Amino acid sequence: MPDLFEYKCPCCGGSVAFDSTSQMLKCPYCDTEFDAKTLQSEDGQTLYNKPDEMHWGEEQEHWTEDGNMRIYVCNSCGGEVIMEETTAAAACPLCGNNIVVKGNLAGELRPDILIPFKLDKKAAKQGLMKHLQGKKLLPKVFKDEQHIDEIKGVYVPFWLFSAECDADVALNATKTRSWSDSRYNYTETSHYTLYRSGDLSFADVPVDGSSKMADALMESIEPFDLSQAEEFKSSYLSGYLAERYDVDDKQSKERANTRIRNTTLKTLQNQTCGGYGSVSVKTSSVRFRDNRVRYALYPVWLLNTSWNGKTYQFAMNGQTGKFVGDLPVDMGLYFKYLGIYSAAAALILYAVLTILQYL
């Protein structure tokens, strides 16, 4: 059986795609809509039509020379589709039909849940324009001269870590008081060692499972609302790109541990150590109970734009619309504002010193 399959309209045979607005699979040719939850059967094929299985033992896929790319045969046009080995959904570059790679979604590679796209490509473009607004150091010509080179909706693999935590922490803390007499100014600093313990619960802490996605970029578009998650159905992927994980849960656990540990210590420190001038961690111990992991796909819009020979990448949460990305800086404006602020600070300091002379 071919390793690729497509979702086709049972009315006209056109390739259907998931529509983020209606949350249905929609045929772009006859506008017929289908429920993404029911169109797919357990074996990954549609309930209405399955592809022919008329093969003579020919290879339906093979590897390229670099070993990281696979070549598939499109079931619709017979053209070659070259994809990275981690790609789970894409489109045929010849006929444009949406295809899903079954082998990258089966067994241990099958996600537990998926958050469908709620926002479309138009919303992603609007997100970029909104992101550019109010940026005082952005070059004025950037909005006019930059253009979007690439925009794609991608289901990014995430590992979701949950655990109950017991924590003990020893903290160094200080309190400072100051006073003056007719001769001297005094400052007294008292040092303390604080001990805190607590129980915290963490649910579905995300760590992206793709080596191609920057962890910091993916974390910056959080949070995702898991109350809108659905049981995984590959029909949701039609019309989008999708990646399977290439960083497994064992490789991801250290980052999850770091996020959980930092949050635990920060919570104990901020919520139980009020009234101190400074607080820092001396020693700590964080222990897990009932820890568990599950695999999910999250919707992300990725945009690349070029200007002045440089490429800038942006990401948008495909569910909430949260938008992030670096922007160029007009150094002329930077030094202009720096000079203005420095001059203002100098005037304020001069005024304060003048007033103090008369006290």
Side-chain angles (χ1 to χ4, degrees):
M1 180 182 293
D3 203 38
L4 300 182
F5 67 92
E6 307 164 15
Y7 290 96
K8 293 188 175 182
C9 175
C11 298
C12 69
S15 179
V16 299
F18 181 74
D19 180 64
S20 60
T21 302
S22 64
Q23 295 291 291
M24 304 278 280
L25 283 170
K26 186 174 182 179
C27 176
Y29 304 101
C30 65
D31 288 332
T32 306
E33 294 182 338
F34 310 93
D35 188 347
K37 299 178 183 178
T38 60
L39 185 64
Q40 180 180 316
S41 65
E42 288 301 319
D43 63 0
Q45 307 297 339
T46 66
L47 297 175
Y48 300 101
N49 67 317
K50 295 188 177 184
D52 293 333
E53 296 183 21
M54 303 171 65
H55 310 297
W56 297 90
E58 68 270 25
E59 286 292 330
Q60 294 301 308
E61 62 171 279
H62 59 273
W63 294 90
T64 60
E65 291 182 359
D66 64 10
N68 294 319
M69 308 292 287
R70 287 185 178 183
I71 299 177
Y72 300 90
V73 177
C74 176
N75 295 327
S76 294
C77 68
E80 288 189 343
V81 183
I82 302 176
M83 295 184 290
E84 294 188 36
E85 61 175 316
T86 56
T87 300
C92 175
L94 299 179
C95 66
N97 279 359
N98 301 310
I99 53 179
V100 178
V101 184
K102 290 188 300 182
N104 283 338
L105 299 168
E108 293 182 355
L109 298 176
R110 180 182 176 85
D112 298 303
I113 58 173
L114 169 148
I115 296 179
F117 272 88
K118 302 294 183 182
L119 301 171
D120 59 14
K121 182 181 292 187
K122 181 180 179 181
K125 293 180 180 179
Q126 292 173 343
L128 176 60
M129 295 300 103
K130 185 177 180 180
H131 184 64
L132 301 181
Q133 295 176 3
K135 304 298 192 296
K136 293 183 178 180
L137 297 181
L138 184 69
K140 294 181 179 180
V141 296
F142 179 78
K143 290 183 181 180
D144 299 327
E145 294 185 359
Q146 63 85 23
H147 65 278
I148 297 176
D149 298 322
E150 183 181 35
I151 177 171
K152 54 186 179 182
V154 183
Y155 280 104
V156 178
F158 278 83
W159 295 106
L160 307 181
F161 294 84
S162 300
E164 304 295 323
C165 297
D166 299 322
D168 299 296
V169 59
L171 303 151
N172 293 321
T174 63
K175 284 185 178 180
T176 301
R177 68 186 185 98
S178 300
W179 70 95
S180 301
D181 59 22
S182 60
R183 299 180 60 189
Y184 299 104
N185 295 323
Y186 302 90
T187 299
E188 177 187 77
T189 301
S190 301
H191 296 266
Y192 304 87
T193 298
L194 311 178
Y195 297 95
R196 299 290 186 266
S197 297
D199 299 330
L200 290 88
S201 179
F202 291 86
D204 298 311
V205 176
V207 177
D208 82 81
S210 172
S211 61
K212 288 178 279 186
M213 302 295 173
D215 291 333
L217 186 65
M218 293 298 100
E219 289 177 6
S220 64
I221 60 173
E222 295 177 13
F224 290 86
D225 183 3
L226 275 172
S227 68
Q228 298 180 347
E230 302 284 353
E231 179 186 355
F232 175 75
K233 299 286 186 183
S234 59
S235 52
Y236 286 109
L237 308 183
S238 186
Y240 296 92
L241 297 175
E243 292 287 326
R244 68 161 172 83
Y245 69 84
D246 62 352
V247 180
D248 63 27
D249 57 332
K250 295 181 178 60
Q251 295 170 300
S252 302
K253 66 181 181 181
E254 191 59 39
R255 190 167 187 86
N257 289 349
T258 298
R259 298 192 71 182
I260 291 174
R261 182 179 183 277
N262 289 345
T263 301
T264 298
L265 299 181
K266 185 177 180 180
T267 300
L268 289 175
Q269 178 176 325
N270 292 346
Q271 296 187 4
T272 66
C273 300
Y276 293 93
S278 67
V279 180
S280 61
V281 176
K282 183 178 180 181
T283 60
S284 64
S285 172
V286 178
R287 302 168 300 280
F288 287 165
R289 292 179 287 107
D290 301 325
N291 52 312
R292 53 205 178 278
V293 184
R294 56 179 178 166
Y295 177 35
L297 295 181
Y298 282 176
V300 177
W301 283 102
L302 296 175
L303 301 89
N304 289 320
T305 182
S306 60
W307 181 73
N308 267 6
K310 294 184 179 180
T311 299
Y312 298 88
Q313 185 178 56
F314 306 91
M316 188 181 87
N317 186 313
Q319 179 191 35
T320 67
K322 185 176 181 181
F323 200 102
V324 299
D326 293 331
L327 292 169
V329 174
D330 187 323
M331 297 308 296
L333 287 175
Y334 171 78
F335 286 112
K336 177 182 177 181
Y337 281 116
L338 181 63
I340 292 173
Y341 293 140
S342 298
L347 287 173
I348 293 172
L349 179 60
Y350 175 78
V352 171
L353 293 175
T354 301
I355 292 172
L356 290 176
Q357 289 178 352
Y358 294 94
L359 294 180

